[in-house]
């Protein structure tokens, strides 16, 4: 072929190549547009689903918090079970009745978290409103009262341990059981003893009852002999709720009042001087507590340290309309001032 023909063919090939490249570029520019729109629609759909799920979760959490307000923080019981629907704030101040009881026990507590920590070993200071209830029931309040008082009462803690609270979930116990409280674990029934053990226990109970009745009769007779109710102070006049054993140690073994002019026998028992002298005169020369031989000449004063402790005890004045608290050592002087006023 001649040179001009070859140049013409080369130009045709170049033109075809450029036209094919242009078509490929056009196709490449057209291809990504459709998937891009699809991805955008998917993202918008996911955002709307997330918003709906967020609102549903928010509503569930709010309903969960409302249900928590009907449950006790300590035992998980429902306030609806209480006819009076009584409840106490977990983070609130201690009520007046409990404050008076604590003062009697020489203890101080201004807020409930301190008492709940002492009685139930629960730290409620880091509680969250979305997880933990903010109130506790009156039954748990009675448990706290029983802890700080010696008065026997029919109060029981309804669980072996305190409640463990968890965040809201799909299998939430709180939302399903808020009306009647969270279900407790079943306790295995205690095994009953054999017939022989029951008979032995019943006999022992009868013997103990007979002995106690005899002691009660003896004490009632001795109280009638002494007849010191008007001149000696009752242990109920003590301003502080001391332990039972301590109260027994400062009270007369005959009249069970606070020791007045105490004396000690050779068998180390304490009595009011007037009470023991009357009993020795009427029932015989022996100790009313242990029947050990005892004579009026054997009576001695207790040690000085015991007398100093006795005289520092605070008592309430039994005179009507007088609410003054005085020490036992100054009580006779205080009582004489009342007599002077009357005269």
């Amino acid at each position: 072929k001649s040179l001009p023909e070859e140049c013409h063919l080369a130009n045709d090939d170049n033109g075809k190549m450029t036209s094919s490249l242009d078509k490929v570029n056009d196709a490449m520019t057209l291809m990504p547009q459709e998937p891009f729109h699809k991805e955008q629609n998917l993202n918008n759909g996911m955002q709307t689903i997330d918003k709906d799920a967020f609102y549903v979760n928010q509503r569930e959490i709010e309903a969960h918090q409302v249900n928590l307000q009907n449950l006790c923080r300590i035992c998980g019981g429902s306030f609806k079970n209480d006819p009076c629907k009584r409840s106490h704030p977990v983070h609130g101040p201690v009520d007046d009745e409990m404050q008076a009881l604590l003062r009697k026990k020489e203890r101080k507590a201004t807020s409930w978290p301190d008492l709940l920590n002492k009685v139930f070993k629960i730290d409620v200071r880091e509680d969250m409103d979305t997880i933990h209830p903010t109130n506790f029931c009156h039954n748990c309040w009675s448990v706290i009262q029983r802890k700080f008082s010696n008065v026997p009462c029919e109060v029981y803690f309804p669980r072996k341990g305190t409640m463990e609270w968890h965040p809201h979930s799909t299998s939430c116990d709180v939302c399903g059981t808020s009306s009647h409280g969270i279900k407790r674990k079943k306790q295995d029934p205690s095994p009953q003893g054999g017939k022989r053990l029951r008979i032995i226990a019943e006999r022992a109970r009868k013997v103990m009852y007979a002995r106690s009745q005899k002691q009660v009769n003896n004490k009632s007779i001795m109280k009638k002999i002494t007849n010191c109710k008007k001149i000696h102070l009752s242990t109920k006049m003590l301003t502080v709720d001391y332990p039972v054993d301590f109260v027994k140690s400062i009270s007369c073994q005959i009249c069970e009042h606070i020791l007045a002019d105490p004396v000690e026998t050779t068998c180390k028992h304490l009595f009011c001087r007037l009470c023991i002298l009357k009993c020795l005169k009427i029932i015989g020369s022996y100790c009313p507590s242990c029947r050990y031989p005892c004579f009026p000449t054997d009576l001695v004063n207790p040690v000085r340290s015991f007398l100093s402790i006795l005289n520092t005890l605070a008592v309430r004045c039994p005179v009507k309309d007088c609410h003054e608290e005085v020490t036992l050592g100054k009580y006779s002087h205080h009582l004489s001032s009342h007599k002077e006023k009357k005269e």
Side-chain angles (χ1 to χ4, degrees):
K1 290 182 184 179
S2 60
L3 186 63
E5 286 178 0
E6 288 178 0
C7 292
H8 182 67
L9 287 169
N11 289 331
D12 289 340
D13 292 337
N14 290 332
K16 287 176 183 178
M17 286 288 289
T18 53
S19 63
S20 64
L21 285 168
D22 291 338
K23 286 177 182 178
V24 169
N25 289 331
D26 292 339
M28 289 293 287
T29 52
L30 289 169
M31 283 291 288
Q33 288 178 359
E34 192 173 354
F36 176 75
H37 289 301
K38 283 182 180 178
E39 284 179 7
Q40 213 169 17
N41 292 332
L42 281 169
N43 288 333
N44 291 334
M46 289 294 288
Q47 284 177 359
T48 53
I49 289 166
D50 289 341
K51 282 180 182 177
D52 293 339
F54 173 76
Y55 288 130
V56 169
N57 288 336
Q58 195 69 23
R59 272 189 252 112
E60 285 182 0
I61 289 166
E62 287 174 2
H64 179 76
Q65 281 184 265
V66 171
N67 291 331
L68 283 174
Q69 299 307 312
N70 297 321
L71 299 177
C72 172
R73 168 68 178 86
I74 312 300
C75 66
S78 176
F79 299 140
K80 294 176 183 178
N81 296 333
D82 185 6
C84 302
K85 293 182 173 56
R86 294 165 293 183
S87 63
H88 306 271
V90 170
H91 299 283
V94 179
D95 57 274
D96 296 337
E97 189 176 348
M98 192 65 73
Q99 284 280 17
L101 184 63
L102 290 170
R103 276 197 299 272
K104 206 172 181 184
K105 284 284 183 182
E106 294 183 330
R107 298 192 181 188
K108 289 182 180 180
T110 54
S111 60
W112 283 115
D114 299 331
L115 288 177
L116 294 175
N117 194 15
K118 283 178 183 176
V119 178
F120 299 107
K121 304 293 185 256
I122 300 175
D123 189 9
V124 297
R125 291 182 182 87
E126 297 180 359
D127 281 8
M128 298 173 66
D129 294 345
T130 54
I131 300 173
H132 304 92
T134 55
N135 296 310
F136 63 96
C137 65
H138 192 72
N139 191 66
C140 293
W141 181 91
S142 302
V143 172
I144 300 169
Q145 187 189 33
R146 186 182 61 180
K147 178 79 175 176
F148 294 105
S149 67
N150 298 325
V151 181
C153 56
E154 294 181 2
V155 178
Y156 66 96
F157 189 60
R159 302 181 69 90
K160 285 185 177 179
T162 52
M163 275 295 302
E164 291 184 5
W165 301 95
H166 303 285
H168 177 67
S169 60
T170 51
S171 59
C172 182
D173 293 332
V174 172
C175 297
T177 58
S178 61
S179 60
H180 50 79
I182 294 175
K183 192 175 181 181
R184 302 194 297 270
K185 292 181 180 179
K186 290 184 179 179
Q187 296 181 1
D188 298 328
S190 58
Q192 293 182 353
K195 188 177 179 181
R196 188 178 176 185
L197 291 172
R198 285 200 299 271
I199 292 167
I200 292 167
E202 192 174 348
R203 284 178 182 172
R205 200 179 299 114
K206 285 179 180 178
V207 170
M208 291 296 291
Y209 178 76
R211 286 179 182 174
S212 64
Q213 286 295 108
K214 192 176 180 182
Q215 287 177 357
V216 167
N217 292 334
N218 289 339
K219 280 190 176 180
S220 61
I221 290 166
M222 286 191 289
K223 282 181 183 178
K224 286 178 181 177
I225 291 168
T226 55
N227 194 19
C228 60
K229 191 176 180 180
K230 293 181 180 179
I231 56 174
H232 291 166
L233 273 173
S234 171
T235 52
K236 293 177 181 178
M237 292 293 107
L238 291 167
T239 57
V240 178
D241 190 10
Y242 292 110
V244 177
D245 293 334
F246 179 78
V247 174
K248 282 183 180 178
S249 68
I250 60 161
S251 57
C252 176
Q253 300 283 324
I254 297 169
C255 66
E256 296 181 346
H257 294 146
I258 300 171
L259 287 164
D261 191 12
V263 289
E264 187 179 344
T265 60
T266 49
C267 49
K268 301 295 180 185
H269 289 119
L270 292 167
F271 304 95
C272 302
R273 189 182 293 274
L274 185 66
C275 298
I276 187 68
L277 289 174
K278 280 184 178 180
C279 284
L280 292 176
K281 189 177 180 180
I282 294 170
I283 65 173
S285 299
Y286 58 86
C287 175
S289 294
C290 64
R291 302 278 175 170
Y292 189 81
C294 179
F295 299 93
T297 52
D298 297 333
L299 303 176
V300 293
N301 292 326
V303 292
R304 289 181 184 178
S305 56
F306 176 79
L307 292 174
S308 64
I309 292 168
L310 189 68
N311 290 328
T312 53
L313 295 175
V315 292
R316 287 191 300 273
C317 180
V319 178
K320 195 177 179 181
D321 299 329
C322 179
H323 305 287
E324 195 172 342
E325 295 179 2
V326 293
T327 58
L328 199 61
K330 297 178 181 177
Y331 171 71
S332 56
H333 178 70
H334 177 77
L335 201 63
S336 62
S337 65
H338 281 297
K339 289 178 181 177
E340 287 174 4
K341 283 179 184 177
K342 281 183 181 180
E343 288 172 359

